[in-house]
Amino acid sequence: MIFTSDDLQRLDTRYRAAFANSLTGFKAANLVGSADADGNQNLAIMSSAVHLGSHPFLIGLVLRPSDARQHTLENILELRSYTLNHVHESFYQEAHQTAARYPRGVSEFVAVGLTAELVEGFPAPFIAEARIRLGLELREHHPLAINGTHLLIGEVVLVDVPDTNVAEDGSVDLGASGTVTISGLDCYHRVQQLGRLAYAKPDL
Ligand SMILES: Cc1cc2nc3c(=O)[nH]c(=O)nc-3n(C[C@H](O)[C@H](O)[C@H](O)COP(=O)(O)O)c2cc1C
């Protein structure tokens, strides 16, 4: 199938969303934990986390336009702290359910049955059941003029990862950690490693 720009413009809205969301490839599966100033906790699945740099350790997150009134966006802008919790294969269904639009007073932790865990001095909640958990502080917020989405840039200030899954060179075995990956808007996959390769150089 070939789609021209005109064909893409004419696609049904839901079809286009499913189609476009499939075509960037497999994506990171994270649950974003946040809270407001009154301590109301929120959890939302997000597949847009992207590595922006290691030193400082920065992660970008793209959030929907604010007319959708996302609690996650409001909370992060308010407290400037949030968590990324890798979706583990044992709770991918609960993770997906956090995408439902619950009213502000309802915590998705309670609604889907995941456990909120607080770490001293960090206002945003982590997920007790998650194996890999990151705490971030908001460093930059860029509303994107092209479509009203928001790019949030956070610095990682806390990392919790199983000792046994970190190799001597620092790489983390996500497969062994049970982290899943997402394709499209609703498909979750377990990963199978093909192999690790040497650092690429022209003469190697
Ligand atoms: C697989 C999947 C990936 C998603 N990724 C994102 C994302 O990267 N950014 C975003 O703003 N919303 C994303 N969403 C939608 C949010 O999870 C959804 O809008 C949620 O209701 C937001 O919750 P909140 O209002 O509590 O912040 C995704 C939904 C699904 C099912």
Side-chain angles (χ1 to χ4, degrees), residues 27 34 42-49 61-65 68-73 96 98-102 108 182-188:
K27 296 171 286 187
S34 64
N42 192 89
L43 196 60
I45 186 153
M46 304 244 160
S47 60
S48 59
L61 201 59
V62 180
L63 271 76
R64 286 178 170 175
R69 289 200 59 79
Q70 260 197 17
H71 303 140
T72 304
L73 179 66
H96 186 75
T98 65
R101 288 203 185 170
Y102 292 100
E108 287 85 358
I182 297 177
S183 63
L185 282 167
D186 54 16
C187 193
Y188 296 80

Coordinates of all heavy atoms in Angstrom, one line a residue, residues 27 34 42-49 61-65 68-73 96 98-102 108 182-188, ligand 1:
K27 N 8.0 1.2 20.8 CA 8.2 2.4 21.7 C 8.3 1.9 23.2 O 7.9 0.8 23.5 CB 7.0 3.3 21.6 CG 6.9 3.9 20.2 CD 5.6 4.6 20.0 CE 4.4 3.7 19.9 NZ 3.2 4.3 19.5
S34 N 2.7 11.0 39.0 CA 2.8 12.4 39.4 C 1.8 12.7 40.5 O 1.0 11.8 40.8 CB 2.4 13.3 38.1 OG 1.1 13.1 37.7
N42 N -1.5 10.5 40.5 CA -1.9 10.2 39.2 C -0.9 9.3 38.5 O 0.3 9.4 38.8 CB -2.0 11.6 38.4 CG -2.7 11.4 37.1 OD1 -3.9 11.6 37.0 ND2 -2.0 11.1 36.0
L43 N -1.5 8.5 37.6 CA -0.7 7.5 36.9 C -1.2 7.5 35.5 O -2.4 7.3 35.3 CB -0.8 6.1 37.6 CG 0.3 5.1 37.2 CD1 1.7 5.6 37.6 CD2 0.0 3.8 37.9
A44 N -0.3 7.6 34.5 CA -0.7 7.5 33.1 C 0.3 6.8 32.2 O 1.5 7.1 32.4 CB -1.0 9.0 32.6
I45 N -0.2 6.0 31.3 CA 0.8 5.3 30.4 C 1.2 6.3 29.3 O 0.4 7.0 28.8 CB 0.1 4.0 29.8 CG1 1.2 3.3 29.0 CG2 -1.1 4.3 29.0 CD1 1.0 1.8 28.9
M46 N 2.5 6.3 29.0 CA 3.0 7.1 28.0 C 4.1 6.4 27.2 O 4.9 5.7 27.8 CB 3.7 8.4 28.6 CG 2.8 9.2 29.5 SD 2.4 10.8 28.9 CE 0.9 11.2 29.8
S47 N 4.0 6.5 25.9 CA 5.0 5.8 25.0 C 6.0 6.7 24.4 O 6.8 6.3 23.5 CB 4.2 5.0 24.0 OG 3.5 5.9 23.2
S48 N 6.0 8.0 24.8 CA 6.8 9.0 24.0 C 8.1 9.3 24.7 O 8.8 10.2 24.2 CB 6.0 10.3 23.9 OG 5.6 10.8 25.1
A49 N 8.5 8.5 25.7 CA 9.8 8.9 26.4 C 11.0 8.7 25.4 O 11.0 7.7 24.7 CB 10.0 8.0 27.6
L61 N 9.7 13.9 27.0 CA 8.3 13.2 27.0 C 7.4 14.1 26.3 O 7.4 15.4 26.5 CB 7.9 13.1 28.5 CG 6.8 12.1 28.9 CD1 7.3 10.7 28.6 CD2 6.6 12.2 30.4
V62 N 6.7 13.6 25.3 CA 5.7 14.4 24.6 C 4.3 14.1 25.1 O 3.9 13.0 25.2 CB 5.8 14.1 23.0 CG1 4.8 15.0 22.3 CG2 7.2 14.3 22.5
L63 N 3.7 15.2 25.5 CA 2.3 15.1 26.0 C 1.3 15.8 25.1 O 1.6 16.7 24.3 CB 2.2 15.8 27.4 CG 2.5 14.8 28.5 CD1 4.0 14.6 28.6 CD2 2.0 15.3 29.9
R64 N 0.1 15.2 25.1 CA -1.0 15.7 24.2 C -1.3 17.2 24.4 O -0.9 17.7 25.5 CB -2.2 14.9 24.5 CG -2.2 13.5 24.0 CD -3.4 12.8 24.4 NE -3.5 11.5 23.7 CZ -4.4 10.6 23.8 NH1 -5.3 10.8 24.7 NH2 -4.4 9.5 23.2
P65 N -2.0 17.8 23.5 CA -2.3 19.2 23.6 C -3.1 19.5 24.9 O -3.9 18.6 25.4 CB -3.2 19.5 22.4 CG -2.9 18.5 21.4 CD -2.4 17.3 22.2
A68 N -6.9 18.9 26.1 CA -7.4 17.6 26.6 C -7.3 17.6 28.1 O -7.8 16.6 28.7 CB -6.5 16.5 26.0
R69 N -6.8 18.6 28.8 CA -6.7 18.7 30.2 C -6.1 17.5 30.9 O -6.7 16.8 31.6 CB -8.1 19.0 30.9 CG -8.5 20.4 30.6 CD -9.6 20.9 31.5 NE -9.2 20.9 32.9 CZ -8.4 21.8 33.5 NH1 -8.0 22.9 32.8 NH2 -8.1 21.8 34.8
Q70 N -4.9 17.2 30.5 CA -4.2 16.1 31.1 C -3.8 16.3 32.5 O -3.0 17.3 32.8 CB -3.0 15.7 30.2 CG -3.3 14.5 29.3 CD -2.1 13.9 28.8 OE1 -1.0 14.1 29.3 NE2 -2.2 13.2 27.7
H71 N -4.1 15.5 33.4 CA -3.7 15.7 34.8 C -2.2 15.6 35.0 O -1.6 16.3 35.8 CB -4.4 14.6 35.7 CG -5.9 14.7 35.6 ND1 -6.7 13.6 35.5 CD2 -6.8 15.8 35.5 CE1 -8.0 14.0 35.4 NE2 -8.0 15.3 35.4
T72 N -1.6 14.7 34.2 CA -0.2 14.5 34.3 C 0.5 15.8 34.0 O 1.4 16.2 34.7 CB 0.3 13.4 33.2 OG1 -0.4 12.2 33.5 CG2 1.8 13.2 33.3
L73 N 0.1 16.5 32.9 CA 0.8 17.7 32.5 C 0.6 18.8 33.6 O 1.6 19.4 34.0 CB 0.2 18.2 31.2 CG 0.8 19.5 30.7 CD1 2.2 19.4 30.3 CD2 0.0 20.1 29.5
H96 N -2.3 -0.3 30.8 CA -3.1 0.2 29.6 C -4.3 0.9 30.2 O -4.7 2.0 29.6 CB -3.5 -0.9 28.7 CG -4.2 -0.5 27.5 ND1 -3.5 0.1 26.4 CD2 -5.5 -0.5 27.1 CE1 -4.4 0.4 25.5 NE2 -5.6 0.1 25.9
T98 N -4.8 2.7 32.6 CA -4.5 4.1 33.1 C -4.8 5.2 32.0 O -4.8 6.4 32.4 CB -3.1 4.3 33.7 OG1 -2.2 4.2 32.6 CG2 -2.7 3.3 34.8
A99 N -4.9 4.7 30.8 CA -5.2 5.7 29.7 C -6.6 6.2 29.7 O -7.0 7.2 29.1 CB -4.9 5.1 28.3
A100 N -7.5 5.5 30.5 CA -8.9 5.9 30.6 C -8.9 7.3 31.3 O -8.1 7.6 32.1 CB -9.7 4.9 31.4
R101 N -10.0 8.1 30.9 CA -10.1 9.4 31.5 C -10.8 9.3 32.9 O -12.0 9.5 32.9 CB -10.8 10.3 30.6 CG -10.0 10.7 29.4 CD -10.5 11.9 28.8 NE -9.7 12.1 27.6 CZ -9.9 13.0 26.7 NH1 -10.9 13.8 26.8 NH2 -9.1 13.1 25.6
Y102 N -10.1 9.2 33.9 CA -10.7 9.2 35.2 C -10.8 10.6 35.7 O -9.9 11.5 35.4 CB -9.8 8.4 36.2 CG -9.7 6.9 36.0 CD1 -8.7 6.3 35.3 CD2 -10.8 6.1 36.4 CE1 -8.6 5.0 35.0 CE2 -10.8 4.7 36.1 CZ -9.7 4.2 35.4 OH -9.7 2.8 35.2
E108 N -5.4 6.8 39.6 CA -5.3 5.6 38.7 C -4.7 4.4 39.5 O -4.9 3.3 39.1 CB -4.6 5.9 37.4 CG -5.3 6.8 36.4 CD -5.2 8.2 36.7 OE1 -4.6 8.6 37.7 OE2 -5.8 9.0 35.9
I182 N 5.9 -1.3 23.3 CA 4.6 -1.0 22.7 C 4.7 -0.8 21.2 O 5.6 -0.1 20.8 CB 4.0 0.3 23.4 CG1 3.8 0.1 24.9 CG2 2.7 0.7 22.7 CD1 3.3 1.4 25.6
S183 N 3.7 -1.3 20.5 CA 3.6 -0.8 19.1 C 2.2 -0.2 19.0 O 1.2 -0.7 19.6 CB 3.8 -2.0 18.1 OG 2.8 -3.0 18.3
G184 N 2.1 0.8 18.1 CA 0.8 1.4 17.9 C 0.2 2.0 19.2 O 1.0 2.5 20.0
L185 N -1.1 1.9 19.4 CA -1.7 2.5 20.5 C -2.1 1.5 21.6 O -2.5 1.9 22.7 CB -3.0 3.3 20.1 CG -2.7 4.6 19.5 CD1 -4.0 5.1 18.8 CD2 -2.2 5.6 20.5
D186 N -2.0 0.2 21.2 CA -2.7 -0.8 22.1 C -2.0 -2.1 22.1 O -2.6 -3.1 22.6 CB -4.2 -0.9 21.8 CG -4.4 -1.2 20.4 OD1 -3.5 -1.7 19.7 OD2 -5.5 -1.1 19.9
C187 N -0.8 -2.3 21.5 CA -0.3 -3.6 21.4 C 1.0 -3.7 22.2 O 1.9 -2.9 22.1 CB 0.0 -3.9 19.9 SG 0.4 -5.7 19.7
Y188 N 1.1 -4.7 23.1 CA 2.2 -4.8 24.1 C 3.0 -6.1 23.7 O 2.4 -7.1 23.4 CB 1.6 -4.9 25.5 CG 1.0 -3.6 25.9 CD1 -0.4 -3.3 25.5 CD2 1.6 -2.6 26.6 CE1 -1.0 -2.1 25.8 CE2 1.0 -1.4 26.9 CZ -0.3 -1.2 26.5 OH -0.9 0.0 26.8
Ligands
LIG1 C1 -0.1 2.9 24.6 C2 -0.4 4.3 25.0 C3 0.6 5.3 24.9 C4 0.3 6.6 25.3 N1 1.3 7.5 25.2 C5 1.0 8.8 25.5 C6 2.1 9.8 25.4 O1 3.2 9.5 25.1 N2 1.7 11.1 25.7 C7 0.5 11.5 26.1 O2 0.2 12.7 26.3 N3 -0.5 10.6 26.2 C8 -0.3 9.3 25.9 N4 -1.2 8.3 26.0 C9 -2.6 8.7 26.5 C10 -2.6 8.9 28.0 O3 -2.3 7.7 28.7 C11 -4.0 9.3 28.4 O4 -4.3 10.6 27.8 C12 -4.3 9.4 29.9 O5 -5.7 9.5 30.1 C13 -3.6 10.7 30.5 O6 -4.0 10.6 31.9 P1 -4.1 11.9 32.8 O7 -5.2 12.8 32.3 O8 -4.3 11.3 34.2 O9 -2.8 12.6 32.7 C14 -1.0 7.0 25.7 C15 -2.0 6.0 25.8 C16 -1.7 4.7 25.4 C17 -2.8 3.6 25.5

